[in-house]
Amino acid sequence: MRPFEVVPLRAFADNYIWTVRDSGHAAVVDPGDARPVLDYLRAEKLELVAILNTHHHADHVGGNADLLRHRPVPVFGPCDERIGEVTHRLRDGERMTLPHFGAGLEVMEIPGHTRTHIAFHGAGMLFCGDTLFAAGCGRLFEGTPQQMYESLSRLMRLPDTTRVYCGHEYTLSNIRFAQAADPGNAALHELEAKAKQLRDRNLPTLPSTIAQEKATNPFVRCAEPGVMASASRYAGRRLTDPIGVLAAIREWKNHF
Ligand code: ZN
Ligand code: FE
């Protein structure tokens, strides 16, 4: 494996296109827009070597076609015909090697936000698109609360130090909701102070880590008494199973 760094390119209002790069090459994750990628490649004199897609939404794949016109590179993505540009359709448990960099990544199918959403993990990194956010999770557009619960539970079994590269800068608004859903959680106040400092300087709050999510994310803390109690209050009935809690707080957050 060659040494590399991971840098965020901004797209649209709050998307991140995570870019694995060294002094001459780059691979991009979820290029919703080709423009910021092409500008960065030109400014830094980098050659594009691969595209990775986590799910079919336009703000994650919309730049594929223009990037492929610039340079025909392999596109790694889910088994979903809605992303026409994917050249390597990957299933749960399949492994891939990041071209040029040699980093081994394993694919996890993590449905919930969409039916075919995948994550890539390896080399201490997790690229999880719109399933897991810092202190939050994606909306359930195609999946069920049970699927999202199982997907998040699987991600939480990755090593605590895994760096979590999410698809959007939603951290501060997620923390505001998390404080309502998990009011006794002191770790949220610490995270809020840290995130505010970063955002005041216009810096990303990401990557997060699996340990940070276990400590602060109400959607992975659905079995904690404090989250269960506030979810029950919102639902107007006593919720006792974590999937019911997740369903209630996801619904709550949609209107928060
Ligand atoms: Zn999405
Ligand atoms: Fe998105």
Side-chain angles (χ1 to χ4, degrees), residues 120-161:
F120 300 89
H121 83 92
M125 310 180 290
L126 171 70
F127 297 105
C128 51
D130 288 355
T131 299
L132 173 65
F133 295 122
C137 76
R139 284 176 187 259
L140 301 177
F141 285 121
E142 298 175 5
T144 64
Q146 171 148 7
Q147 284 177 319
M148 181 57 91
Y149 177 79
E150 282 163 10
S151 295
L152 294 176
S153 300
R154 279 187 74 192
L155 296 179
M156 290 307 114
R157 290 195 288 273
L158 294 172
D160 274 347
T161 54

Side-chain angles (χ1 to χ4, degrees), residues 8-241:
L9 306 184
R10 287 161 198 244
F12 311 116
D14 49 33
N15 279 75
Y16 288 128
I17 302 168
W18 293 106
T19 301
V20 175
R21 64 156 292 181
D22 60 13
S23 58
H25 299 80
V28 291
V29 182
D30 285 351
D33 186 2
R35 195 72 262 158
V37 177
L38 293 170
D39 288 347
Y40 186 75
L41 295 174
R42 186 175 307 112
E44 299 283 315
K45 300 186 168 58
L46 304 176
E47 181 185 320
L48 186 66
V49 295
I51 297 171
L52 279 63
N53 290 150
T54 62
H55 67 295
H56 75 281
H57 285 157
D59 63 313
H60 297 255
V61 306
N64 283 357
D66 280 347
L67 290 178
L68 292 173
R69 266 190 287 280
H70 164 79
R71 184 172 291 273
V73 296
V75 183
F76 300 89
C79 298
D80 189 326
E81 299 303 318
R82 292 175 294 188
I83 317 175
E85 298 88 6
V86 174
T87 57
H88 295 65
R89 298 194 184 273
L90 300 168
R91 288 237 170 254
D92 192 66
E94 279 195 82
R95 302 191 62 84
M96 57 163 283
T97 302
L98 206 51
H100 173 78
F101 298 99
L105 297 177
E106 187 179 329
V107 167
M108 297 168 81
E109 289 177 356
I110 47 168
H113 178 64
T114 70
R115 183 167 53 75
T116 58
H117 199 303
I118 59 172
F120 300 89
H121 83 92
M125 310 180 290
L126 171 70
F127 297 105
C128 51
D130 288 355
T131 299
L132 173 65
F133 295 122
C137 76
R139 284 176 187 259
L140 301 177
F141 285 121
E142 298 175 5
T144 64
Q146 171 148 7
Q147 284 177 319
M148 181 57 91
Y149 177 79
E150 282 163 10
S151 295
L152 294 176
S153 300
R154 279 187 74 192
L155 296 179
M156 290 307 114
R157 290 195 288 273
L158 294 172
D160 274 347
T161 54
T162 307
R163 294 184 300 284
V164 178
Y165 296 95
C166 317
H168 291 265
E169 179 62 62
Y170 287 161
T171 310
L172 278 179
S173 61
N174 284 344
I175 290 170
R176 277 192 288 279
F177 174 74
Q179 286 170 334
D182 192 4
N185 187 347
L188 278 168
H189 296 287
E190 258 171 69
L191 180 64
E192 184 183 32
K194 205 177 84 183
K196 271 187 176 153
Q197 274 185 9
L198 289 166
R199 295 309 294 148
D200 284 347
R201 295 156 61 203
N202 201 22
L203 293 172
T205 60
L206 301 170
S208 175
T209 63
I210 295 296
Q212 178 182 315
E213 294 318 302
K214 285 178 179 171
T216 57
N217 191 322
F219 295 92
V220 308
R221 293 167 56 80
C222 290
E224 294 293 322
V227 180
M228 284 198 153
S230 53
S232 299
R233 221 174 298 122
Y234 172 78
R237 64 198 164 87
R238 190 158 160 266
L239 301 170
T240 51
D241 79 294

